[in-house]
């Protein structure tokens, strides 16, 4: 499969989702200035080594969004061959981080790529995202925002997850959403239960179903598409509010309560 080009601009960045485990993606891109490759959340090393060998690329660095093993398990093996910087959150749960990143920091790669760091807790407390604010905006958002869904709230609170998703929702609408699991069809199936008459959602299900039938990734998504079809970004929509209240059997008094209700619903879906 060819790398996914992010738009038809002269200096576009191409990113590629390397499949790992059963449904993970390890994102890889090449710095246009140095031609070094960077990987995001390498849960295992073998598919990364394979891709680097196929492309005849050298690794320049590793970007980590949070501490879960399926996002960090390949770091040690990669460092054994490539002693490169490891960027990530300030987390006691990730021993290999060499450059700790905090909300509002900038990460410059070469002289053409600068990522803005967003702290987006909820799924875990140490979760960060990498936002490339350019002609071709993209965000590596780990397990916080998924195509058609969001991550489980393992360590944070519904209020934290809502704040994190709200921050991501404020990014430019053409931002490419590079999350790390192929959960799209399952998420959209749940979304259809929440909003069965959402025409944009029904169209997306048809398109993404054909994509998966062709064994192609449904990612990256776009923020515009998520705002139209992802119930976790649509907590102000009356249709989502009504569905959440029907599930709970009681009124929801805030966006946070709507999100908490549909997350609880999804957890048991």
């Amino acid at each position: 499969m060819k790398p996914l080009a992010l738009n038809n601009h002269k200096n576009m960045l191409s990113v590629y989702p390397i499949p790992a485990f059963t449904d993970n993606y390890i994102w890889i891109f090449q710095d246009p200035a140095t031609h070094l490759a960077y990987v995001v959340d390498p849960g295992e090393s073998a598919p990364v080594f394979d891709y680097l060998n196929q492309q005849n690329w050298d690794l320049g660095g590793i970007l980590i969004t949070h501490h879960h093993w399926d996002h960090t398990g390949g770091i040690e093996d990669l460092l054994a061959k490539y002693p490169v910087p490891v960027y990530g959150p300030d987390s006691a749960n990730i021993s290999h981080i060499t450059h700790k990143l905090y909300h509002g920091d900038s990460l410059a790669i070469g002289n053409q790529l600068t990522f803005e760091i967003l702290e987006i807790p909820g799924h875990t407390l140490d979760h960060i995202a990498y936002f490339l604010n350019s002609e071709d905006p993209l965000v590596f958002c780990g397990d916080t925002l998924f195509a058609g869904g969001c991550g489980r709230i393992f360590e944070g609170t519904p209020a934290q997850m809502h704040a994190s998703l709200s921050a991501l929702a404020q990014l430019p609408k053409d931002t490419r959403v590079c999350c790390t699991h192929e959960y799209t069809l399952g998420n959209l199936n749940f979304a259809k239960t929440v909003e069965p008459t959402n025409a944009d959602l029904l169209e997306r299900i048809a398109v993404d179903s054909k994509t998966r039938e062709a064994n192609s990734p449904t990612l990256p998504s776009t923020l515009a598409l998520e705002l139209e079809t992802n119930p976790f970004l649509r907590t102000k929509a009356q249709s989502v509010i009504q569905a959440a209240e029907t599930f709970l059997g009681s009124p929801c008094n805030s966006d946070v309560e709507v999100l908490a209700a549909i997350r609880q619903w999804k957890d048991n879906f």
Side-chain angles (χ1 to χ4, degrees):
M1 184 184 303
K2 294 182 179 179
L4 298 170
L6 292 190
N7 275 323
N8 292 321
H9 295 299
K10 183 178 179 180
N11 295 317
M12 66 183 177
L13 178 69
S14 292
V15 295
Y16 179 83
I18 302 173
F21 303 114
T22 58
D23 54 33
N24 281 66
Y25 289 128
I26 301 167
W27 292 96
I28 189 167
F29 63 92
Q30 191 180 39
D31 172 24
T34 64
H35 303 295
L36 292 173
Y38 289 76
V39 292
V40 184
D41 287 350
E44 58 178 340
S45 59
V48 176
F49 284 130
D50 288 344
Y51 190 81
L52 292 172
N53 290 335
Q54 290 167 10
Q55 301 297 320
N56 196 26
W57 287 357
D58 285 326
L59 189 65
I62 299 170
L63 283 59
I64 300 297
T65 63
H66 66 291
H67 70 263
H68 282 163
W69 67 270
D70 61 323
H71 297 252
T72 61
I75 297 175
E76 189 167 352
D77 285 348
L78 290 172
L79 291 178
K81 182 173 181 180
Y82 301 102
V84 298
V86 181
Y87 305 94
D90 186 352
S91 173
N93 294 311
I94 315 173
S95 60
H96 297 293
I97 300 295
T98 60
H99 294 68
K100 296 177 181 178
L101 299 171
Y102 303 89
H103 188 81
D105 283 350
S106 293
L107 171 60
I109 292 177
N111 57 16
Q112 297 181 35
L113 304 177
T114 300
F115 291 90
E116 299 175 13
I117 305 305
L118 306 174
E119 291 183 357
I120 49 170
H123 178 67
T124 65
L125 294 178
D126 61 1
H127 208 304
I128 63 173
Y130 300 80
F131 171 55
L132 181 65
N133 189 5
S134 69
E135 290 181 313
D136 304 293
L138 67 88
V139 64
F140 296 115
C141 52
D143 286 357
T144 296
L145 174 62
F146 287 136
C150 76
R152 286 179 179 263
I153 303 173
F154 285 123
E155 298 176 6
T157 65
Q160 286 177 315
M161 180 61 87
H162 180 264
S164 295
L165 293 173
S166 296
L168 292 171
Q170 295 303 308
L171 299 178
K173 289 187 178 181
D174 61 341
T175 299
R176 299 284 175 154
V177 176
C178 300
C179 55
T180 47
H181 287 277
E182 185 58 72
Y183 289 166
T184 307
L185 292 185
N187 287 337
L188 295 181
N189 186 37
F190 172 73
K192 182 181 176 181
T193 303
V194 177
E195 290 191 284
T197 62
N198 182 330
D200 293 320
L201 174 59
L202 297 178
E203 180 180 356
R204 182 180 186 182
I205 291 171
V207 171
D208 283 346
S209 294
K210 290 182 179 179
T211 298
R212 291 306 293 151
E213 287 172 6
N215 200 32
S216 295
T218 58
L219 302 172
S221 174
T222 65
L223 184 58
L225 185 58
E226 297 307 319
L227 291 169
E228 293 171 345
T229 60
N230 187 329
F232 296 96
L233 296 186
R234 294 173 53 77
T235 55
K236 293 184 182 297
Q238 194 59 38
S239 53
V240 176
I241 295 170
Q242 289 177 349
E245 291 179 340
T246 298
F247 169 75
L248 285 179
S250 61
C252 292
N253 297 311
S254 68
D255 292 351
V256 171
E257 290 186 10
V258 174
L259 184 140
I262 59 175
R263 185 60 260 181
Q264 180 186 351
W265 186 0
K266 178 65 166 62
D267 287 346
N268 298 286
F269 183 70

